[in-house]
Structures are given as structure tokens and as C-alpha cells.
Amino acid sequence: MVSIKKIATDIGVSAATVSNALTGKGRVSEEMTARIRSRAQELGYRPNNLARALKTGQTGILGLVMPDLTNPLFPRIAQMLSIAAERRGLGILIGDSRGSADEQNEVLKRLVDRGVDGLLVVPQKGTSPEMNAVPLAIINTASDPRNTVSADHAGGGALIARHISDIGHRNVVILGGDPVSEVQQDRISGMQSAMRQEIRSSVLWGDAGVAEVAERVRAGATAVLTTSDLLALRVHSELTRAQFSVPRRVSLTGFDNMSLASVMHPTLTTVAQDVEAIADRAIEILTAMIRGQAHPDTGRTLPMRLVVRNSTSNPEI
Amino acid sequence: MVSIKKIATDIGVSAATVSNALTGKGRVSEEMTARIRSRAQELGYRPNNLARALKTGQTGILGLVMPDLTNPLFPRIAQMLSIAAERRGLGILIGDSRGSADEQNEVLKRLVDRGVDGLLVVPQKGTSPEMNAVPLAIINTASDPRNTVSADHAGGGALIARHISDIGHRNVVILGGDPVSEVQQDRISGMQSAMRQEIRSSVLWGDAGVAEVAERVRAGATAVLTTSDLLALRVHSELTRAQFSVPRRVSLTGFDNMSLASVMHPTLTTVAQDVEAIADRAIEILTAMIRGQAHPDTGRTLPMRLVVRNSTSNPEI
DNA sequence: CTGTTAGCGCTTTCAG
DNA sequence: CTGAAAGCGCTAACAG
């Protein structure tokens, strides 16, 4: 391992000077700087981040905590965050808070112990992560008072409901996965608030809800709006089993625009988050917090985008 | 930040003694150890991993590099690795080698610069990661000579082919996503080697292959074996469009047992990797390498498991 | 059993 | 413009 000292003795200057030259803190003559730089190059010098971190108190590492790494959105979020972080020279340490809120706080502590400069957390449904050792950015939904950045889930719900209304549906069923999830609640209330008076709607939840969908359709509903693409796929199975064709007999929508949405049959009308923008802003805000600055966009949401495919059409009549 | 020194002066012993007591290196009287421990507790002492790492040269952090964080298997692998790592008190720093082999090597370097003790890498298709600064474990497939641990992809292919053969199919088409992938090649050669002489089979690749499937079925094929569940879902769309019912008219299989496999309609016959075991063994082997030991299971594969669902059945006569 | 000393590799005053 | 010295928090020799 070639250290700053090696370069220093090699050239015959002090370690401090090498450090200054390399980090460009000025205070060193151009010529000396050049000599130091080129020697460093030759030796293949790479700064030891640990030593630097110990001295400066900053590791350049961010912790990312997700409620369940199995969440189908995780890969995209993780990828976009890792790209956004890398662009700023930061690394990402992962943590899985699977299960309890307690576990979540444990994970936060562990990451802090490992020296992260800040934390990005997608909270466990219905919990509020606790940690004041380092800045914390929360990616959740607008109705979470501590939310730092998120997609406009309610707005997304409104988009899809308006689409369904526009093409003529007047009797719809809304299906959520878990009422504890603030995100899903927001999606649903967005749907409800966008539906005109004349639309009849009711909300179903979870497995029981999935099982009940076919019956509701039989009773007259012409569209099923779900809070996730995976849920939509399950509903599609149920409807197929019950001989209801999508979209001829029932329209069906998802949420999140996962890859399966464009690959299932029929392809799924859904609503997409701009994950890249969310990731970028999350990192942006968090780094500002780390520098001790407030960021004007804190708490603001990012618009969602309606993606119309083949699972929705006019109701028959 | 409460340091070891604080505890030392508090109690009136030296920093070294506190260190020894806390890390349980013996050499300290029971009584003193207890006093130190309880004081540490009171003060909420947490060791500074950076300082420790700088001193010992070990960070307790592993780097995980995947070719594309968007890979549908990534979440499960990442989760299982993170659990397996955590169990051993290790952290995981992520890296995305998206795109090129060059980028892959860049990422490896960056992680090493950040002080990882070892690297877990799922290589970019057809590349061999380069890094000798720290131990490296490769998760790929048996035919990769540097492979450290992986599922037995060829064995998985054999399982699925045998199933198809057992239920009476004699004319099948095999569909792969990308011939550059060693994993997919192994899956396919496993399928081929398990099919009895009397079975006619041909191999198709990529988008062109997907587009050609229906035609092959029209020409007499009664089963389509794909190398991934997502590919199977796409094929299902094509078949449905062409009015071929699954499994009545054609049987269809996937690979990997992703969550969509149990949720699509019909549910998908596929083959599952024991991701948890792979993750655990990968970490096990890597930590052995870090300790400078050889591990007997290096290079061995783990069996896959056939999951029969509703997308396969006897061919109609 | 306990303390002293030294140093991991780097940055940062403060002098020269 | 450059150098000397100190120290981040911890551990590993070596003495006592």
C-alpha cells in the first residue's frame, strides 16, 4: 500500500505538503504540485479513505434502509440511488429492516456505527424511524409529516381515476394491499377525490379483497383499480378464472409500472414514478443536510405519469 | 462521541485496559472488566469502527457488485446476502457495474478504495472481473472456471426437461434471452442433455425468438422451455395473442421462480434456486478466503428445485 | 494483571 | 510557499 508518506520521502518534502498538493488545497507551488501529482500517478497512489475519514469525520458513505429488500421497487430505487450517489463520489451501505420497527431502528444504529454520514430510509409501513446521530432523509409519501421526498402518490391515484372516468366507467372497485401502508392510503384517497360524484366506488383490501373482486364485477362493477401491478396481476388471474375478459368486460389498472406491466397479457395500464428523479433529489437533499444546509425542495413530491396500455377500455353497454 | 479514553480516565485506568476488557481479550481481572463494561453501558459507548479498521486493516465490510441492479433476481440475492452478512457482523456496500466490463472494474476499484475486506461479484455476462487487492468470490455458474458458488443451472435445465419429457412431450422449443450469458447457456445445455433421443428440440434466442415461437407451435411443437420467468411471461402473451391456450395446447416453463410465477395465469412451472443457501455459502467462502483459508466447497454448485404448477400438462394427442 | 508507548494514514493548525 | 507537530480512536507489543 503506497501512502502519502512514501511520496513525501521519495520527493523529499513533508507529508503535509503532499496532502495539500493532492487535495488541491492551494498553498503549494504549481511546480511542486505537478511533481507530486506525477509521482503519485507513477506509484499508483490511492488515498486511504479510512484514515481520511477518521481525521475528517466524514466517510462519504450513505446508509440505505428499505423495509424489505424483496420489495419489487427496491432494485430500481437502489440502482438509481447508487448511480446518483456515485456521481457525487459517495458510497451506499445497505440495510434491511425486514419485519419490525425495532429491527428498523437496530439497522439504523448499525449503519451509524459503521460511520455513515447520512441515512436514506424508506420506512417500514406506519413507522417513523428514530435516529439523531446523523441526518436522515425519508422517502415515503406526502401525508407522512417527516417525508423528505417521494412521488405524488395521491396525484397518481387521481390520474388513474380520471382516466377511468374519462373513458366512461361509473361503477368501480378499488383494491389495496394493506391499509397500514400510508403510500397505498394516499393512492386510494387520490383516486377517490378525483372521481366525479356520479361514480360509485368501494374499497377492498388484501387477500379477502382479491377473492371478492369477481363477485363485485358480477354485481355490476366495470373497473378494478389496484394499488400495485402485482396486485393487478393477481386480480387478473381471478377474473380470468371467473371468465371475465380484460378489458372487454372489466378494465384493470396497476401502480408503479414494473417490468411485468408491459409484458403481461393484456399489457397493463398503470402509473409510473420517476424513480430516477426521486433518487437524485433524495441524495441532493441529504447531502445538503449533511453540509448543514436546508434544501428548498424538502418535503415536496414529484409528479407521477399515467401509462395507458391495453387493460383499460370503455365499458360495454 | 464517547471514546475509549473517556471511559479510561473516568475509571482511572489506561485506554489499553478498557480496550482489552471490552473486546474480551482476557488479560483483565473479572472485577475490572465488569466495572469497565458497566461504565461503558452507562455512557452509551459505541466503538468507532473507523479507528478500529484503520488499526487492524479490516473494515468488516464486503462489496457486492451486480451487473445490473435491475436484474429481477437482485433483490433476493441482495437480501439474502445482507442477512447472511449481518449474521456475521459484516456490512455490505453496493456497486452497479451497469454496462461495460470496464465499468465493472472501475466499481471494483472504488469499493476497494472504500476499504472493503472482500468482494462478492455476479459478473457482467461473459466477463471475468479483475482485482487482486482483496479476495473475490464469484457467483455465476459451473462452467465459469472462476466460479465460487452458484446454483446448478445445468441441473435445473435437466430437471425441467425431464419433467416435460415425462409427461409426454416429443417436440419442444427452447428459448433463451441472450447467448452471451453463461448462465443461460448452462441452463439450455442441461435441458438438451436430459432430453431423450426421441425428442425433437431447437433453440431460439432473444426478441426474434419470442416472435417466432407461435410459428413453431403451429408447426407442431407442444412445449416451450424458456430460461427465465419473465421470458415465459412474454411468450405467454404471444401465445395468447395467437390463440394457443396454455397448457392445453402448449406447455410453458420458466426459470428462477420469481414472484410473478405464482401469480400469473396459469401459474408457471419453473425451477427455483436456493438463493439463501447460495448467499450463505458465498459469504462463508469469502470470509474464509479473507482469513486466508481455503474452503472445501469452493466452486461447488447447489441443486435447483423443480416447481410444478399449472402451465405444463400432457400434450394433446 | 495493568500501563506505556507507538502507530495505522491522513489532515490541520501554527511556525518558519 | 513549506515543514513540524499533533491527533482522530483504537489496538498490539512490550514492560512493569
Side-chain angles (χ1 to χ4, degrees), chain B residues 207-287:
Chain B
D207 292 344
V210 173
E212 205 181 323
V213 163
E215 192 178 316
R216 295 298 178 102
V217 171
R218 212 169 285 120
T222 62
V224 181
L225 315 193
T226 71
T227 58
S228 90
D229 291 347
L230 222 51
L231 216 44
L233 185 55
R234 289 182 58 195
V235 167
H236 181 245
S237 290
E238 288 299 321
L239 293 174
T240 307
R241 186 163 323 166
Q243 314 268 23
F244 292 122
S245 128
V246 177
R248 212 165 329 138
R249 179 64 176 76
V250 213
S251 284
L252 177 64
T253 67
F255 233 105
D256 282 341
N257 194 29
M258 293 169 40
S259 58
L260 74 86
S262 58
V263 127
M264 62 184 271
H265 186 82
T267 56
L268 188 67
T269 292
T270 188
V271 84
Q273 330 195 12
D274 186 347
V275 178
E276 182 168 0
I278 292 175
D280 206 73
R281 186 177 290 178
I283 302 258
E284 187 60 39
I285 295 180
L286 182 57
T287 51

Coordinates of all heavy atoms in Angstrom, one line a residue, chain B residues 207-287:
Chain B
D207 N -35.4 -11.5 -28.8 CA -36.7 -11.0 -29.3 C -37.2 -11.7 -30.6 O -38.3 -12.0 -30.7 CB -36.5 -9.5 -29.7 CG -36.4 -8.6 -28.4 OD1 -36.6 -9.1 -27.3 OD2 -35.9 -7.5 -28.6
A208 N -36.2 -12.0 -31.4 CA -36.5 -12.7 -32.7 C -37.1 -14.0 -32.3 O -38.1 -14.5 -32.9 CB -35.3 -12.9 -33.5
G209 N -36.5 -14.7 -31.3 CA -37.0 -16.0 -30.8 C -38.4 -15.9 -30.3 O -39.3 -16.7 -30.7
V210 N -38.7 -14.9 -29.5 CA -40.0 -14.7 -28.9 C -41.0 -14.6 -30.1 O -42.1 -15.2 -30.1 CB -40.1 -13.5 -28.0 CG1 -41.6 -13.2 -27.6 CG2 -39.2 -13.6 -26.8
A211 N -40.7 -13.8 -31.1 CA -41.6 -13.6 -32.2 C -41.8 -14.9 -33.0 O -42.9 -15.0 -33.6 CB -41.0 -12.5 -33.1
E212 N -40.9 -15.8 -32.9 CA -41.0 -17.0 -33.8 C -41.7 -18.2 -33.1 O -42.1 -19.1 -33.7 CB -39.6 -17.4 -34.2 CG -39.5 -18.2 -35.5 CD -38.1 -18.6 -35.8 OE1 -37.2 -17.8 -35.5 OE2 -37.9 -19.8 -36.3
V213 N -41.9 -18.0 -31.8 CA -42.4 -19.1 -31.0 C -43.8 -19.6 -31.6 O -44.0 -20.9 -31.8 CB -42.6 -18.8 -29.5 CG1 -43.5 -19.7 -28.8 CG2 -41.2 -18.8 -28.9
A214 N -44.7 -18.7 -31.8 CA -46.0 -19.1 -32.2 C -46.0 -20.0 -33.5 O -46.7 -21.0 -33.6 CB -46.9 -17.9 -32.4
E215 N -45.2 -19.6 -34.4 CA -45.0 -20.3 -35.6 C -44.5 -21.7 -35.4 O -45.0 -22.7 -36.0 CB -44.0 -19.5 -36.5 CG -43.8 -19.9 -37.9 CD -42.8 -19.1 -38.6 OE1 -42.9 -17.8 -38.3 OE2 -41.9 -19.6 -39.3
R216 N -43.5 -21.9 -34.5 CA -43.1 -23.2 -34.2 C -44.2 -24.1 -33.6 O -44.2 -25.3 -33.8 CB -41.9 -23.1 -33.2 CG -40.7 -22.4 -33.7 CD -40.1 -23.2 -34.8 NE -38.9 -22.5 -35.3 CZ -37.7 -22.9 -35.1 NH1 -37.4 -23.9 -34.4 NH2 -36.6 -22.1 -35.5
V217 N -45.0 -23.4 -32.8 CA -46.1 -24.2 -32.2 C -47.0 -24.7 -33.3 O -47.5 -25.8 -33.3 CB -46.8 -23.4 -31.1 CG1 -48.1 -24.1 -30.7 CG2 -45.9 -23.1 -30.0
R218 N -47.3 -23.7 -34.2 CA -48.2 -24.1 -35.3 C -47.6 -25.3 -36.1 O -48.3 -26.1 -36.6 CB -48.3 -22.9 -36.2 CG -49.7 -22.8 -36.9 CD -49.9 -21.4 -37.6 NE -50.2 -20.4 -36.6 CZ -49.4 -19.3 -36.5 NH1 -48.3 -19.1 -37.2 NH2 -49.7 -18.4 -35.6
A219 N -46.3 -25.3 -36.2 CA -45.6 -26.4 -36.9 C -45.4 -27.7 -36.1 O -44.8 -28.6 -36.6 CB -44.2 -25.9 -37.3
G220 N -46.0 -27.7 -34.9 CA -46.0 -28.9 -34.2 C -45.4 -29.0 -32.8 O -45.5 -30.0 -32.1
A221 N -44.7 -28.0 -32.4 CA -44.1 -28.0 -31.0 C -45.2 -28.0 -30.0 O -46.2 -27.3 -30.1 CB -43.1 -26.9 -30.8
T222 N -45.0 -28.7 -28.9 CA -46.0 -28.8 -27.9 C -45.6 -28.2 -26.6 O -46.3 -28.2 -25.6 CB -46.5 -30.3 -27.6 OG1 -45.4 -31.0 -27.1 CG2 -47.0 -30.9 -28.9
A223 N -44.3 -27.8 -26.5 CA -43.8 -27.2 -25.2 C -42.8 -26.1 -25.5 O -42.0 -26.3 -26.5 CB -43.3 -28.3 -24.3
V224 N -42.8 -25.1 -24.7 CA -41.8 -24.1 -24.8 C -41.0 -23.9 -23.5 O -41.7 -23.6 -22.5 CB -42.4 -22.7 -25.2 CG1 -41.3 -21.6 -25.3 CG2 -43.3 -22.8 -26.5
L225 N -39.7 -24.2 -23.5 CA -38.9 -24.1 -22.3 C -38.1 -22.8 -22.4 O -37.3 -22.7 -23.3 CB -38.0 -25.3 -22.2 CG -38.6 -26.7 -22.5 CD1 -37.6 -27.8 -22.0 CD2 -39.9 -26.9 -21.8
T226 N -38.3 -21.9 -21.5 CA -37.5 -20.7 -21.5 C -36.5 -20.7 -20.4 O -36.5 -21.5 -19.5 CB -38.4 -19.4 -21.3 OG1 -38.9 -19.4 -20.0 CG2 -39.6 -19.5 -22.2
T227 N -35.6 -19.7 -20.5 CA -34.5 -19.6 -19.5 C -34.8 -18.6 -18.4 O -34.0 -18.2 -17.6 CB -33.2 -19.3 -20.1 OG1 -33.3 -18.0 -20.8 CG2 -32.7 -20.4 -21.0
S228 N -36.0 -18.0 -18.4 CA -36.4 -17.1 -17.3 C -37.9 -16.9 -17.3 O -38.6 -17.0 -18.3 CB -35.7 -15.7 -17.4 OG -36.5 -14.8 -18.2
D229 N -38.4 -16.6 -16.1 CA -39.8 -16.5 -15.9 C -40.4 -15.3 -16.7 O -41.5 -15.3 -17.2 CB -40.1 -16.2 -14.4 CG -39.9 -17.5 -13.6 OD1 -39.7 -18.6 -14.2 OD2 -39.9 -17.4 -12.3
L230 N -39.6 -14.2 -16.8 CA -40.0 -13.1 -17.5 C -40.2 -13.4 -19.0 O -41.1 -12.9 -19.6 CB -39.0 -11.9 -17.3 CG -39.5 -10.5 -17.0 CD1 -40.6 -10.5 -15.9 CD2 -38.4 -9.6 -16.7
L231 N -39.3 -14.1 -19.5 CA -39.3 -14.6 -20.9 C -40.6 -15.4 -21.1 O -41.3 -15.3 -22.1 CB -38.1 -15.4 -21.2 CG -37.4 -15.3 -22.5 CD1 -37.3 -13.9 -23.0 CD2 -36.0 -15.9 -22.5
A232 N -40.9 -16.3 -20.1 CA -42.0 -17.1 -20.2 C -43.3 -16.3 -20.2 O -44.2 -16.5 -21.0 CB -42.1 -18.1 -19.0
L233 N -43.3 -15.2 -19.4 CA -44.5 -14.3 -19.4 C -44.7 -13.7 -20.8 O -45.8 -13.6 -21.3 CB -44.3 -13.3 -18.3 CG -45.5 -12.4 -18.1 CD1 -46.8 -13.2 -17.8 CD2 -45.3 -11.4 -16.9
R234 N -43.6 -13.3 -21.4 CA -43.7 -12.7 -22.7 C -44.2 -13.7 -23.7 O -45.0 -13.4 -24.6 CB -42.3 -12.2 -23.2 CG -41.9 -10.9 -22.4 CD -40.5 -10.4 -22.9 NE -40.6 -10.1 -24.3 CZ -39.5 -9.9 -25.1 NH1 -38.3 -10.0 -24.6 NH2 -39.6 -9.6 -26.4
V235 N -43.6 -14.9 -23.6 CA -44.1 -15.9 -24.6 C -45.6 -16.2 -24.4 O -46.3 -16.4 -25.3 CB -43.3 -17.2 -24.3 CG1 -43.9 -18.4 -25.0 CG2 -41.8 -17.0 -24.8
H236 N -46.0 -16.2 -23.1 CA -47.4 -16.4 -22.8 C -48.3 -15.4 -23.6 O -49.3 -15.7 -24.1 CB -47.6 -16.4 -21.3 CG -49.1 -16.6 -21.0 ND1 -49.9 -15.7 -20.4 CD2 -49.8 -17.7 -21.1 CE1 -51.1 -16.2 -20.2 NE2 -51.1 -17.4 -20.6
S237 N -47.8 -14.1 -23.5 CA -48.6 -13.1 -24.3 C -48.7 -13.4 -25.7 O -49.7 -13.4 -26.3 CB -47.9 -11.7 -24.1 OG -48.0 -11.3 -22.8
E238 N -47.5 -13.8 -26.3 CA -47.5 -14.1 -27.7 C -48.5 -15.3 -28.0 O -49.2 -15.3 -29.0 CB -46.1 -14.6 -28.2 CG -45.1 -13.4 -28.2 CD -45.6 -12.3 -29.2 OE1 -46.1 -12.7 -30.3 OE2 -45.4 -11.1 -28.9
L239 N -48.4 -16.3 -27.2 CA -49.2 -17.5 -27.4 C -50.7 -17.2 -27.3 O -51.5 -17.6 -28.1 CB -48.8 -18.6 -26.4 CG -47.4 -19.2 -26.6 CD1 -47.1 -20.2 -25.5 CD2 -47.3 -19.9 -28.0
T240 N -51.0 -16.3 -26.3 CA -52.4 -16.0 -26.1 C -52.9 -15.2 -27.4 O -54.0 -15.5 -27.9 CB -52.5 -15.1 -24.9 OG1 -51.9 -15.7 -23.8 CG2 -54.0 -14.8 -24.6
R241 N -52.1 -14.3 -27.8 CA -52.4 -13.5 -29.0 C -52.7 -14.4 -30.2 O -53.6 -14.2 -31.0 CB -51.3 -12.5 -29.3 CG -51.6 -11.6 -30.4 CD -50.6 -10.4 -30.4 NE -50.3 -10.1 -29.0 CZ -49.3 -9.3 -28.7 NH1 -48.5 -8.8 -29.6 NH2 -49.1 -9.0 -27.4
A242 N -51.9 -15.5 -30.3 CA -52.0 -16.4 -31.4 C -53.1 -17.5 -31.1 O -53.2 -18.4 -31.8 CB -50.7 -17.0 -31.7
Q243 N -53.8 -17.3 -30.0 CA -54.9 -18.2 -29.7 C -54.5 -19.6 -29.3 O -55.3 -20.5 -29.4 CB -55.9 -18.3 -30.9 CG -56.3 -17.0 -31.5 CD -57.5 -16.4 -30.9 OE1 -57.9 -16.7 -29.8 NE2 -58.2 -15.6 -31.6
F244 N -53.2 -19.7 -28.8 CA -52.8 -21.0 -28.3 C -53.0 -21.0 -26.8 O -52.4 -20.2 -26.1 CB -51.4 -21.3 -28.6 CG -51.1 -21.5 -30.1 CD1 -50.2 -20.7 -30.7 CD2 -51.8 -22.5 -30.8 CE1 -49.9 -20.8 -32.1 CE2 -51.5 -22.6 -32.2 CZ -50.6 -21.8 -32.8
S245 N -53.8 -21.9 -26.3 CA -54.0 -21.9 -24.9 C -52.9 -22.7 -24.1 O -52.5 -23.8 -24.5 CB -55.4 -22.5 -24.6 OG -55.3 -23.5 -23.6
V246 N -52.5 -22.1 -23.0 CA -51.5 -22.8 -22.1 C -52.2 -23.3 -20.9 O -53.0 -22.5 -20.3 CB -50.4 -21.7 -21.7 CG1 -49.4 -22.4 -20.7 CG2 -49.7 -21.2 -22.9
P247 N -52.1 -24.5 -20.5 CA -51.2 -25.5 -21.0 C -51.9 -26.4 -22.0 O -51.3 -27.4 -22.5 CB -50.8 -26.3 -19.8 CG -52.0 -26.3 -19.0 CD -52.7 -25.0 -19.2
R248 N -53.2 -26.2 -22.3 CA -54.0 -27.2 -23.1 C -53.3 -27.5 -24.4 O -53.0 -28.6 -24.8 CB -55.4 -26.7 -23.3 CG -56.4 -27.9 -23.4 CD -57.8 -27.5 -23.3 NE -58.0 -26.3 -22.5 CZ -58.8 -25.3 -22.8 NH1 -59.6 -25.3 -23.9 NH2 -58.9 -24.3 -22.0
R249 N -52.9 -26.4 -25.1 CA -52.3 -26.6 -26.4 C -50.8 -26.6 -26.4 O -50.1 -27.4 -27.1 CB -52.8 -25.4 -27.3 CG -52.2 -25.4 -28.7 CD -52.7 -26.6 -29.5 NE -52.2 -26.6 -30.9 CZ -51.0 -26.8 -31.3 NH1 -50.1 -27.2 -30.4 NH2 -50.6 -26.7 -32.5
V250 N -50.2 -25.8 -25.5 CA -48.7 -25.8 -25.4 C -48.4 -25.7 -23.9 O -49.0 -25.0 -23.1 CB -48.1 -24.4 -25.9 CG1 -46.7 -24.7 -26.5 CG2 -49.0 -23.7 -26.8
S251 N -47.4 -26.4 -23.5 CA -46.9 -26.3 -22.2 C -45.8 -25.2 -22.2 O -45.1 -25.0 -23.2 CB -46.3 -27.6 -21.7 OG -47.3 -28.5 -21.3
L252 N -45.6 -24.6 -21.0 CA -44.6 -23.4 -21.0 C -43.9 -23.5 -19.6 O -44.5 -23.7 -18.6 CB -45.4 -22.1 -21.1 CG -44.7 -20.8 -21.0 CD1 -43.7 -20.7 -22.1 CD2 -45.7 -19.6 -21.0
T253 N -42.6 -23.3 -19.7 CA -41.9 -23.2 -18.4 C -41.0 -22.0 -18.3 O -40.5 -21.5 -19.3 CB -41.0 -24.5 -18.2 OG1 -39.9 -24.5 -19.2 CG2 -41.8 -25.8 -18.4
G254 N -40.7 -21.6 -17.1 CA -39.8 -20.5 -16.8 C -38.5 -21.0 -16.1 O -38.1 -22.1 -16.3
F255 N -37.9 -20.0 -15.4 CA -36.7 -20.3 -14.7 C -36.6 -19.3 -13.6 O -36.7 -18.1 -13.9 CB -35.5 -20.3 -15.6 CG -34.6 -21.5 -15.5 CD1 -34.7 -22.5 -16.6 CD2 -33.8 -21.8 -14.5 CE1 -33.9 -23.6 -16.5 CE2 -33.0 -22.9 -14.4 CZ -33.1 -23.8 -15.5
D256 N -36.3 -19.7 -12.4 CA -36.0 -18.8 -11.3 C -37.1 -18.6 -10.2 O -36.8 -18.1 -9.1 CB -35.6 -17.4 -11.7 CG -34.2 -17.3 -12.2 OD1 -33.4 -18.3 -11.9 OD2 -33.8 -16.4 -12.9
N257 N -38.3 -19.0 -10.5 CA -39.4 -18.9 -9.6 C -39.5 -17.5 -8.9 O -39.5 -17.4 -7.7 CB -39.2 -20.0 -8.5 CG -40.4 -20.2 -7.6 OD1 -41.5 -20.0 -8.1 ND2 -40.2 -20.5 -6.4
M258 N -39.6 -16.6 -9.8 CA -39.8 -15.2 -9.3 C -41.3 -15.1 -8.8 O -42.1 -15.9 -9.1 CB -39.6 -14.2 -10.4 CG -38.2 -14.1 -10.9 SD -38.0 -13.2 -12.4 CE -39.2 -11.9 -12.0
S259 N -41.6 -14.0 -8.1 CA -42.9 -13.9 -7.5 C -44.0 -13.9 -8.6 O -45.1 -14.5 -8.3 CB -43.0 -12.7 -6.6 OG -42.7 -11.5 -7.4
L260 N -43.7 -13.4 -9.7 CA -44.8 -13.4 -10.7 C -45.2 -14.8 -11.2 O -46.3 -15.0 -11.6 CB -44.4 -12.6 -11.9 CG -43.3 -13.1 -12.9 CD1 -44.0 -14.0 -14.0 CD2 -42.7 -11.9 -13.6
A261 N -44.3 -15.8 -11.0 CA -44.6 -17.1 -11.4 C -45.8 -17.7 -10.7 O -46.6 -18.5 -11.3 CB -43.4 -18.0 -11.2
S262 N -46.0 -17.4 -9.5 CA -47.2 -18.0 -8.8 C -48.4 -17.1 -8.9 O -49.4 -17.4 -8.4 CB -46.8 -18.1 -7.3 OG -46.4 -16.9 -6.8
V263 N -48.3 -16.0 -9.6 CA -49.4 -15.0 -9.6 C -49.9 -14.9 -11.0 O -51.0 -14.4 -11.2 CB -48.8 -13.7 -9.0 CG1 -49.0 -12.6 -9.9 CG2 -49.3 -13.6 -7.6
M264 N -49.2 -15.3 -12.0 CA -49.7 -15.2 -13.4 C -50.7 -16.3 -13.6 O -51.0 -17.1 -12.8 CB -48.6 -15.2 -14.4 CG -47.8 -16.4 -14.5 SD -46.4 -16.3 -15.7 CE -47.1 -16.9 -17.2
H265 N -51.4 -16.2 -14.8 CA -52.4 -17.2 -15.1 C -52.2 -17.8 -16.4 O -52.2 -17.1 -17.4 CB -53.8 -16.5 -15.0 CG -54.9 -17.4 -15.2 ND1 -55.4 -18.2 -14.2 CD2 -55.6 -17.8 -16.3 CE1 -56.4 -18.9 -14.6 NE2 -56.5 -18.7 -15.9
P266 N -52.0 -19.1 -16.6 CA -51.9 -20.0 -15.5 C -50.6 -19.8 -14.7 O -49.6 -19.2 -15.2 CB -51.8 -21.3 -16.2 CG -51.1 -21.0 -17.5 CD -51.6 -19.6 -17.9
T267 N -50.6 -20.3 -13.4 CA -49.3 -20.2 -12.7 C -48.3 -21.0 -13.4 O -48.6 -22.0 -14.1 CB -49.6 -20.8 -11.2 OG1 -50.1 -22.1 -11.4 CG2 -50.6 -19.9 -10.5
L268 N -47.0 -20.6 -13.2 CA -45.9 -21.1 -14.0 C -45.1 -22.2 -13.4 O -44.6 -22.1 -12.3 CB -45.0 -19.9 -14.4 CG -43.9 -20.1 -15.4 CD1 -44.5 -20.3 -16.8 CD2 -43.0 -18.8 -15.4
T269 N -44.9 -23.3 -14.2 CA -44.0 -24.3 -13.8 C -42.6 -23.7 -14.1 O -42.3 -23.2 -15.1 CB -44.2 -25.6 -14.7 OG1 -45.4 -26.1 -14.3 CG2 -43.1 -26.6 -14.4
T270 N -41.7 -23.9 -13.1 CA -40.4 -23.3 -13.2 C -39.4 -24.0 -12.3 O -39.8 -25.1 -11.7 CB -40.5 -21.8 -12.8 OG1 -39.3 -21.1 -13.0 CG2 -40.9 -21.6 -11.3
V271 N -38.3 -23.5 -12.1 CA -37.3 -24.2 -11.3 C -36.6 -23.1 -10.4 O -36.5 -21.9 -10.8 CB -36.3 -24.9 -12.3 CG1 -35.2 -24.0 -12.8 CG2 -35.7 -26.1 -11.8
A272 N -36.4 -23.4 -9.2 CA -36.0 -22.4 -8.2 C -34.6 -22.6 -7.7 O -34.1 -23.7 -7.5 CB -37.0 -22.5 -7.0
Q273 N -33.9 -21.5 -7.5 CA -32.6 -21.6 -6.9 C -32.8 -21.4 -5.4 O -33.6 -20.7 -5.0 CB -31.7 -20.5 -7.3 CG -31.8 -19.9 -8.6 CD -30.6 -19.0 -9.0 OE1 -29.6 -19.1 -8.4 NE2 -30.7 -18.3 -10.1
D274 N -31.9 -22.0 -4.6 CA -32.0 -21.8 -3.2 C -31.1 -20.6 -2.9 O -29.9 -20.7 -2.5 CB -31.5 -23.1 -2.5 CG -31.6 -22.9 -1.0 OD1 -31.9 -21.8 -0.5 OD2 -31.5 -24.0 -0.3
V275 N -31.6 -19.4 -3.1 CA -30.9 -18.2 -3.1 C -30.2 -18.0 -1.7 O -29.1 -17.6 -1.5 CB -31.7 -17.0 -3.4 CG1 -30.9 -15.7 -3.2 CG2 -32.2 -17.1 -4.8
E276 N -31.0 -18.4 -0.7 CA -30.5 -18.3 0.7 C -29.2 -19.1 0.9 O -28.2 -18.6 1.4 CB -31.6 -18.7 1.7 CG -31.1 -18.6 3.1 CD -32.3 -18.7 4.1 OE1 -33.4 -19.0 3.6 OE2 -32.0 -18.6 5.3
A277 N -29.3 -20.3 0.4 CA -28.1 -21.2 0.6 C -26.9 -20.7 -0.2 O -25.7 -20.7 0.3 CB -28.4 -22.6 0.2
I278 N -27.2 -20.2 -1.4 CA -26.1 -19.6 -2.2 C -25.5 -18.4 -1.5 O -24.2 -18.3 -1.4 CB -26.6 -19.2 -3.6 CG1 -27.0 -20.4 -4.4 CG2 -25.6 -18.4 -4.4 CD1 -27.7 -20.1 -5.7
A279 N -26.3 -17.5 -1.0 CA -25.8 -16.3 -0.3 C -25.0 -16.7 0.9 O -23.9 -16.2 1.1 CB -27.0 -15.5 0.1
D280 N -25.5 -17.7 1.6 CA -24.8 -18.1 2.8 C -23.5 -18.7 2.5 O -22.5 -18.3 3.1 CB -25.7 -19.1 3.6 CG -25.3 -19.0 5.1 OD1 -25.7 -18.0 5.7 OD2 -24.7 -19.9 5.6
R281 N -23.5 -19.5 1.5 CA -22.2 -20.1 1.2 C -21.2 -19.1 0.6 O -20.0 -19.2 0.9 CB -22.4 -21.3 0.2 CG -21.1 -22.0 0.0 CD -21.2 -23.2 -0.9 NE -21.9 -24.3 -0.2 CZ -22.1 -25.5 -0.8 NH1 -21.7 -25.7 -2.1 NH2 -22.8 -26.4 -0.2
A282 N -21.7 -18.2 -0.2 CA -20.8 -17.2 -0.8 C -20.1 -16.4 0.3 O -18.9 -16.2 0.3 CB -21.6 -16.3 -1.6
I283 N -20.9 -16.0 1.3 CA -20.3 -15.3 2.4 C -19.3 -16.2 3.2 O -18.2 -15.7 3.6 CB -21.4 -14.7 3.4 CG1 -22.4 -13.9 2.6 CG2 -20.8 -14.0 4.5 CD1 -22.2 -12.4 2.8
E284 N -19.8 -17.4 3.4 CA -18.9 -18.3 4.2 C -17.6 -18.5 3.5 O -16.5 -18.4 4.1 CB -19.7 -19.7 4.2 CG -19.0 -20.7 5.0 CD -19.0 -20.3 6.5 OE1 -19.9 -19.7 7.0 OE2 -17.9 -20.6 7.1
I285 N -17.6 -18.7 2.2 CA -16.3 -18.9 1.5 C -15.5 -17.7 1.4 O -14.3 -17.7 1.7 CB -16.6 -19.4 0.0 CG1 -17.3 -20.8 0.1 CG2 -15.3 -19.5 -0.8 CD1 -17.6 -21.4 -1.3
L286 N -16.2 -16.6 1.2 CA -15.4 -15.3 1.1 C -14.8 -15.0 2.5 O -13.6 -14.6 2.5 CB -16.4 -14.2 0.7 CG -15.7 -12.8 0.5 CD1 -14.5 -12.9 -0.5 CD2 -16.7 -11.7 0.1
T287 N -15.5 -15.2 3.5 CA -14.8 -14.9 4.8 C -13.7 -15.8 5.1 O -12.7 -15.4 5.7 CB -15.9 -14.9 6.0 OG1 -16.6 -16.1 5.9 CG2 -16.8 -13.8 5.9

